[in-house]
């Protein structure tokens, strides 16, 4: 009976190792399945207030932006490289210099390098961390009152006669290699990688934004310079005309044919025309210094080999062009990458609420005797450990972080929406500005024809004695104002073209 009982007990004894393996497999399976539910995959949000056309993959069309029907050109303005869009060789050379030397652009490139480093670091998080201790030495000294006085460690070093003061309690020589690996059960590392990638892409778009803004700013400043140069020439010509009129009035005054009031008013008009020249020259110097700073250099003269009258308006597109804001606008892309980053960080915050699994291992040599230290048989050691960390009392903190991450994601989504609406507004404003400025330019040209004819008639009548000096002064003032206004309106059209190009993304694909 005794033998049989023993045999029966052995047959019914459960296999503990198999049960543990099954339990571990079951637990890991549950964790892997649960990890699929942590975090939400990013999907571009749908905004009813923004036209559906912005979500078309190949082209984005908004019929409400232009009064005329939108015409699909084969050559989209937003896809034209800036060097092709701008046909002025001098301006192209200035922009080339700015793209190399501009300080803000160089800082943006350095920030992009930082983003790339963080992206590489996020990828490395999936790999085990490995550390080495090529040579380690440890020695512990204690005295008689140490609570472990005369321990086995001390006896191994000193025999039975352990010293009473500063005896060697522990002596070891170590050389080891340690590794630690965090298993990405809940996708925390995956979400960190996605956030880092979104931040890097955002830095790339920021560089594009700086490039686009820089091109627009250089072009606008250049057109301001050319305009001011032309206005200075007009002001000098007008001053010469006023000087001629003053000489005629002075001759009349000397001959007793007119009063001193006529001489004073004519002189005042002459000085007014003369004072306009240094005003325009001052503005020219300020704009020239601004352009030099955009080019990343100290103030210096900039040669302008172009006549303002020879500059033509952009004719490579029609007013109603297809809009590709989503694909080309760097600020819109930056807002979306920020939303992607916030969504990924929400996944990280959620994953931190659940247990983390770490596996560690170590391999090396350890000996209390230097002579046996390099003996791999008697001094070798190997470690293997694993741990599951579950937050308990800081759960409120983790829950708060998660809820804050959700709110920040909502804010990023609102900012993305605001950028979309702002992009549409920019293009709409630019299109309206160009259309209305062209109407103003036609009126300004008609006014120049009228005032130039009036100026000639007034001069002839004045010389013939059929017009007084006041009529001549008024005609000269009208002619000057009309010429300056025509030049300024043309400059505004040129800048409006650049602004439209910028609002469409500037051709930076």
């Amino acid at each position: 009976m005794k033998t049989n009982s023993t045999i029966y007990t052995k047959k019914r004894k459960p296999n503990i190792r198999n049960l543990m393996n099954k339990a571990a497999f079951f637990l890991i399976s549950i964790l892997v399945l649960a990890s699929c539910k942590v975090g939400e995959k990013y999907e571009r949000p749908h905004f009813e207030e923004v036209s559906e056309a912005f979500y078309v993959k190949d082209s984005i069309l908004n019929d409400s932006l232009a009064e005329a029907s939108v015409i699909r050109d084969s050559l989209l303005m937003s896809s034209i490289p800036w060097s092709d869009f701008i046909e002025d060789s001098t301006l192209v050379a200035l922009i080339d210099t700015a793209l190399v030397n501009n300080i803000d652009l160089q800082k943006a490139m350095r920030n992009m390098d930082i983003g790339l480093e963080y992206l590489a670091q996020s990828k490395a998080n999936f790999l085990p961390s490995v550390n080495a201790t090529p040579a380690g030495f440890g020695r512990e000294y204690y005295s008689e009152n140490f609570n472990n006085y005369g321990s086995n460690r001390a006896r191994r070093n000193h025999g039975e006669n352990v010293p009473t003061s500063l005896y060697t309690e522990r002596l070891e020589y170590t050389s080891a290699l340690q590794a630690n690996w965090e298993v990405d059960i809940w996708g925390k590392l995956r979400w960190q990688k996605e956030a880092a990638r979104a931040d890097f892409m955002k830095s790339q778009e920021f560089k594009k934004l700086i490039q686009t803004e820089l091109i627009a700013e250089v072009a606008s400043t250049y057109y301001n310079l050319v305009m001011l140069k032309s206005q200075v020439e007009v002001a000098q010509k007008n001053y010469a005309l006023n000087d001629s009129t003053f000489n005629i009035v002075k001759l009349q005054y000397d001959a007793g044919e007119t009063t001193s009031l006529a001489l004073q008013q004519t002189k005042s008009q002459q000085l007014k025309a003369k004072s306009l020249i240094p005003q325009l020259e001052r503005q020219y110097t300020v704009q020239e210094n601004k352009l030099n700073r955009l080019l990343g250099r100290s103030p210096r003269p900039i040669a302008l080999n172009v006549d303002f009258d020879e500059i033509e308006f952009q004719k490579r597109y029609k007013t109603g062009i297809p809009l590709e804001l989503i694909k080309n606008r760097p600020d819109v892309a930056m807002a979306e990458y920020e939303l992607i980053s916030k969504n990924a960080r929400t996944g990280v915050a959620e994953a931190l609420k659940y247990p983390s699994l770490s596996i560690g291992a170590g391999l090396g040599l350890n000996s209390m005797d230097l002579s046996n230290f390099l003996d791999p048989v008697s001094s070798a050691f190997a470690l293997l450990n694993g741990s599951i960390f579950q937050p308990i009392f800081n759960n409120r903190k983790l829950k708060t972080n998660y809820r804050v991450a959700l709110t920040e994601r909502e804010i990023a989504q609102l900012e993305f929406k605001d950028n979309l609406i702002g992009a549409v507004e920019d293009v709409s404003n630019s299109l309206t500005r160009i259309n209305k400025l062209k109407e103003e330019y036609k009126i300004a040209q008609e006014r120049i024809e009228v005032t130039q004819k009036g100026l000639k008639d007034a001069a002839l009548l004045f010389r013939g004695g059929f017009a007084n000096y006041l009529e001549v002064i008024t005609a000269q003032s009208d002619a000057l104002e009309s010429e300056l206004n025509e030049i300024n309106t043309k400059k505004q059209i040129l800048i409006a073209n650049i602004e439209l190009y910028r609002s469409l993304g500037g051709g930076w694909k």
Side-chain angles (χ1 to χ4, degrees):
M1 290 296 292
K2 190 174 183 180
T3 306
N4 292 337
S5 175
T6 303
I7 295 173
Y8 177 79
T9 304
K10 289 182 177 179
K11 288 182 178 179
R12 293 298 183 180
K13 187 177 180 179
N15 192 326
I16 302 299
R17 180 175 294 180
N18 290 337
L19 288 177
M20 291 181 63
N21 290 338
K22 290 179 180 179
F25 177 77
F26 179 72
L27 178 61
I28 293 175
S29 299
I30 292 177
L31 294 177
V32 171
L33 291 175
S35 67
C36 300
K37 298 181 180 180
V38 174
E40 297 179 7
K41 182 179 179 181
Y42 172 77
E43 292 184 4
R44 179 177 292 171
H46 173 78
F47 304 118
E48 293 182 358
E49 296 83 352
V50 183
S51 171
E52 288 284 350
F54 284 97
Y55 295 85
V56 179
K57 182 178 180 181
D58 296 325
S59 64
I60 303 165
L61 182 64
N62 188 351
D63 294 334
S64 65
L65 289 182
E67 297 178 359
S69 60
V70 177
I71 303 172
R72 290 183 177 274
D73 281 344
S74 58
L75 184 60
L76 303 179
M77 181 182 181
S78 57
S79 63
I80 302 174
W82 70 265
S83 54
D84 293 338
F85 177 78
I86 298 174
E87 299 176 350
D88 189 323
S89 59
T90 302
L91 178 54
V92 169
L94 291 172
I95 292 176
D96 278 333
T97 302
L99 291 177
V100 174
N101 299 329
N102 183 262
I103 295 176
D104 288 335
L105 186 56
Q106 292 183 38
K107 290 192 293 185
M109 294 176 68
R110 299 291 83 77
N111 285 327
M112 192 170 67
D113 293 338
I114 293 174
L116 186 60
E117 291 297 328
Y118 280 125
L119 176 58
Q121 183 187 61
S122 69
K123 294 178 180 179
N125 288 339
F126 290 92
L127 303 174
S129 61
V130 180
N131 300 295
T133 305
F137 171 74
R139 193 164 193 166
E140 300 176 10
Y141 293 96
Y142 295 104
S143 295
E144 185 177 6
N145 290 332
F146 177 55
N147 64 2
N148 201 27
Y149 174 69
S151 66
N152 290 331
R153 290 180 179 175
R155 295 179 190 283
R156 281 185 297 181
N157 292 313
H158 303 281
E160 293 298 326
N161 299 320
V162 180
T164 59
S165 179
L166 290 179
Y167 63 87
T168 301
E169 165 72 12
R170 180 186 182 92
L171 175 64
E172 67 171 342
Y173 301 90
T174 307
S175 179
L177 187 68
Q178 301 92 16
N180 188 69
W181 179 46
E182 181 179 355
V183 183
D184 192 27
I185 299 176
W186 308 104
K188 180 183 70 175
L189 301 180
R190 174 171 56 86
W191 286 120
Q192 288 177 345
K193 178 182 176 182
E194 182 167 340
R197 180 184 288 110
D199 290 339
F200 171 65
M201 295 303 296
K202 181 181 174 182
S203 68
Q204 279 194 321
E205 294 299 330
F206 180 70
K207 176 195 172 186
K208 294 179 183 179
L209 178 64
I210 295 296
Q211 289 174 327
T212 303
E213 295 289 346
L214 179 61
I215 291 171
E217 193 68 20
V218 170
S220 298
T221 308
Y222 172 77
Y223 287 134
N224 275 326
L225 277 179
V226 179
M227 175 202 69
L228 289 169
K229 178 185 176 184
S230 182
Q231 287 183 335
V232 168
E233 293 172 353
V234 170
Q236 289 173 339
K237 182 179 67 174
N238 181 71
Y239 170 70
L241 191 60
N242 276 271
D243 187 60
S244 176
T245 302
F246 173 76
N247 291 332
I248 295 175
V249 173
K250 188 174 185 307
L251 290 174
Q252 291 178 343
Y253 174 76
D254 292 339
E257 299 176 359
T258 189
T259 64
S260 60
L261 178 62
L263 186 65
Q264 291 172 0
Q265 289 184 323
T266 308
K267 182 65 176 179
S268 175
Q269 182 67 20
Q270 179 196 31
L271 293 175
K272 181 180 178 181
K274 186 176 182 180
S275 67
L276 182 61
I277 296 174
Q279 291 178 23
L280 294 172
E281 290 175 340
R282 169 174 53 83
Q283 295 176 30
Y284 182 92
T285 301
V286 170
Q287 290 295 312
E288 189 176 49
N289 291 340
K290 177 184 177 181
L291 183 54
N292 276 308
R293 183 173 182 179
L294 291 172
L295 300 181
R297 64 192 190 189
S298 58
R300 66 192 66 181
I302 297 177
L304 299 178
N305 302 317
V306 61
D307 190 340
F308 194 65
D309 294 333
E310 297 176 354
I311 298 178
E312 296 183 357
F313 298 131
Q314 180 60 242
K315 298 178 181 179
R316 299 186 61 178
Y317 66 93
K318 300 184 180 180
T319 302
I321 56 177
L323 308 179
E324 293 193 333
L325 301 180
I326 290 295
K327 295 199 300 183
N328 293 337
R329 284 274 299 220
D331 57 338
V332 172
M334 284 176 63
E336 184 168 17
Y337 282 124
E338 178 66 15
L339 177 56
I340 294 173
S341 177
K342 293 299 183 183
N343 181 73
R345 284 182 167 81
T346 302
V348 173
E350 185 177 3
L352 287 173
K353 297 191 300 180
Y354 301 104
S356 61
L357 174 62
S358 297
I359 299 175
L363 180 67
L365 300 172
N366 184 282
S367 175
M368 66 175 182
D369 188 355
L370 183 60
S371 61
N372 297 324
F373 175 57
L374 298 178
D375 185 357
V377 176
S378 60
S379 300
F381 74 91
L383 300 174
L384 180 63
N385 57 68
S387 62
I388 296 179
F389 175 79
Q390 170 62 54
I392 299 177
F393 293 107
N394 58 347
N395 186 55
R396 175 67 258 186
K397 177 181 178 181
L398 297 174
K399 185 183 293 184
T400 298
N401 291 340
Y402 175 60
R403 290 179 178 177
V404 169
L406 287 174
T407 305
E408 289 179 343
R409 183 176 66 182
E410 293 175 0
I411 294 173
Q413 181 168 315
L414 290 173
E415 290 178 347
F416 178 42
K417 176 182 177 180
D418 186 56
N419 272 270
L420 283 174
I421 296 174
V424 180
E425 179 188 8
D426 284 348
V427 178
S428 179
N429 291 342
S430 296
L431 289 171
T432 302
R433 191 178 296 114
I434 290 175
N435 288 334
K436 297 307 176 182
L437 281 172
K438 285 184 176 180
E439 292 181 15
E440 290 182 34
Y441 187 65
K442 289 181 179 180
I443 297 172
Q445 288 180 315
E446 293 177 5
R447 184 186 174 191
I448 282 184
E449 293 179 3
V450 173
T451 55
Q452 288 296 329
K453 186 176 184 304
L455 183 61
K456 291 179 181 178
D457 292 346
L460 291 174
L461 292 173
F462 180 67
R463 288 187 176 89
F466 297 101
N468 59 39
Y469 69 95
L470 289 176
E471 292 172 312
V472 175
I473 291 175
T474 301
Q476 289 175 345
S477 179
D478 265 358
L480 173 63
E481 182 182 345
S482 64
E483 282 194 73
L484 295 178
N485 181 64
E486 188 262 352
I487 293 172
N488 184 58
T489 304
K490 182 175 181 180
K491 183 263 300 185
Q492 291 185 55
I493 294 176
L494 293 170
I495 292 180
N497 278 273
I498 295 295
E499 285 300 309
L500 176 59
Y501 182 66
R502 180 195 61 79
S503 65
L504 290 170
W508 292 99
K509 284 191 173 181

